[in-house]
Amino acid sequence: MIKRRNMKSLLTVLFLLAIQLISAQEEEIVYADGVFGFEENKPQKIFTDQARLRLDPNVNAQILDSLKTNQQVLILKKDEAVLKLGERRANWYKISCQKGDKTVEGYIWGGNLCVGYRNKNGYDFLFGLSKTETRKNKQSGENYQQNIASIKLVEGNTLVDEVFFDTGRGEELSYGTFNVESNHKLQNVELTLKAMVSGEACGIASYDQYVLFKDKKLITLPQLTNVGDADVYYHGEKFIFPNDKGGISNAFIFKMEEMEKDDHDKEKKKRSSKTYLWNGNSYRLK
C-alpha cells in the first residue's frame, strides 16, 4: 500500500512537471528590437502622439499623463519588461519631462519614442515606427505582418507633414540611423533626409529610405535594400545623385548589383540601373 501511494505521488509530480515544461515552451520569449534601445541619462523625443505616461511599466498601469509628438524627455532607466505591439518590440523606460513649470516622471513604452530625430533650419524631423499592418502575400496568399515607419516634419508643436514607408522586422531592426544630408544639387530641394534600419548578422537585410524636403513637404524616394552573406552572395542598391561622380543634372540614378557564387566558387554578377528625372517638384521614371 505504501509503495503504491509513493508511486502515485511520484507520477503526480512527474505529470505536473511535464505540464509546467510544456507551458513554459508555449510561452513566447519576447526580445526588444535594437532600434528601441535608448541610453540612460540621455534626452529623447516622443514620436507617437498622445503617448501614455504610466505609473508602472505595463499597459494596465495608471495613466499619469499623455505626451505629444516632439515632447523632449530624459531617459532615467530601462525596465526589463518588454511589450510587443504588432511586430514592434520594446522595453519600458522610466522618463522625466517638463510639463509647464512641473517636472513629471513615469514609464513610457519604448516604441513610442523616436528612433532618431534632427533639427535643421528651424524644423524638427522625427523618425520612428508608427504601426504594424496585416498584408497578404500575392504568391502564397498567406497573411504577414509589415512594420510601417514614418518621418514627421514638425514646426514647434505643429505637425506639418508626414510620410510613411515599409521597414524591417525582427533581426532587421537591430539598429537604426537618421541623418540630414545636402540637397544633392536637386532643383528646389532644401535638404535630404536618410533613415536606415539594419541587422547585425549575415543574410539580414538593411533598408535605406531617402526623403526630400522642399516647401514644407516631404517626398519619399524608392526604398533601397542591401543584404549579403559573407563572400557568397550580396545584393546592393544605391542612388547616384547629381553631386556624385557619374551623376547627371536634375535626376538620380538607381543602381543595383548582385553577386552569387556557384558550386565551383565562381562569381556570377548581375547589374542594372534606371534613371529618375526630377523637375523641381516631383520625379518620374525616364
Side-chain angles (χ1 to χ4, degrees), residues 79-99:
D79 192 86
E80 292 304 313
V82 177
L83 172 66
K84 175 185 176 184
L85 290 181
E87 283 300 307
R88 295 174 295 163
R89 304 164 174 84
N91 289 87
W92 288 85
Y93 289 87
K94 187 175 185 180
I95 61 99
S96 69
C97 63
Q98 204 68 27
K99 295 296 293 285

Side-chain angles (χ1 to χ4, degrees), residues 128-269:
L129 272 64
S130 300
K131 56 187 175 181
T132 303
E133 289 183 353
T134 301
R135 303 270 183 85
K136 180 170 284 189
N137 187 300
K138 294 181 180 179
Q139 295 181 339
S140 67
E142 296 181 354
N143 290 337
Y144 67 95
Q145 299 294 299
Q146 177 63 57
N147 277 327
I148 308 298
S150 75
I151 292 174
K152 297 181 179 184
L153 165 63
V154 182
E155 187 175 16
N157 295 319
T158 304
L159 178 64
V160 179
D161 197 15
E162 183 174 10
V163 289
F164 297 87
F165 47 91
D166 292 355
T167 193
R169 52 176 290 177
E171 292 183 77
E172 296 168 343
L173 297 176
S174 293
Y175 66 94
T177 60
F178 185 51
N179 296 301
V180 176
E181 299 184 354
S182 72
N183 65 358
H184 292 293
K185 292 188 177 180
L186 291 169
Q187 182 185 359
N188 296 336
V189 173
E190 190 171 338
L191 54 86
T192 305
L193 304 165
K194 182 184 179 183
M196 184 275 291
V197 297
S198 180
E200 294 182 315
C202 291
I204 306 298
S206 67
Y207 302 92
D208 295 339
Q209 182 64 58
Y210 283 91
V211 176
L212 307 181
F213 171 59
K214 67 173 296 289
D215 301 330
K216 294 189 177 184
K217 291 292 183 182
L218 300 173
I219 302 167
T220 57
L221 302 189
Q223 193 172 76
L224 304 176
T225 303
N226 293 278
V227 63
D229 186 3
D231 63 343
V232 177
Y233 167 82
Y234 71 79
H235 171 98
E237 298 177 353
K238 66 179 181 179
F239 288 133
I240 304 297
F241 290 106
N243 63 329
D244 294 324
K245 184 179 179 179
I248 57 179
S249 179
N250 290 318
F252 56 94
I253 305 167
F254 168 86
K255 286 189 174 289
M256 184 279 291
E257 180 175 293
E258 283 186 345
M259 185 281 292
E260 185 175 6
K261 288 187 178 180
D262 60 20
D263 295 338
H264 302 287
D265 214 29
K266 184 178 180 181
E267 291 186 359
K268 293 183 178 180
K269 290 187 176 181

Side-chain angles (χ1 to χ4, degrees), residues 7-21:
M7 181 62 71
K8 186 176 181 181
S9 298
L10 178 60
L11 291 174
T12 301
V13 169
L14 292 174
F15 176 75
L16 292 173
L17 287 173
I19 293 295
Q20 290 176 359
L21 180 61

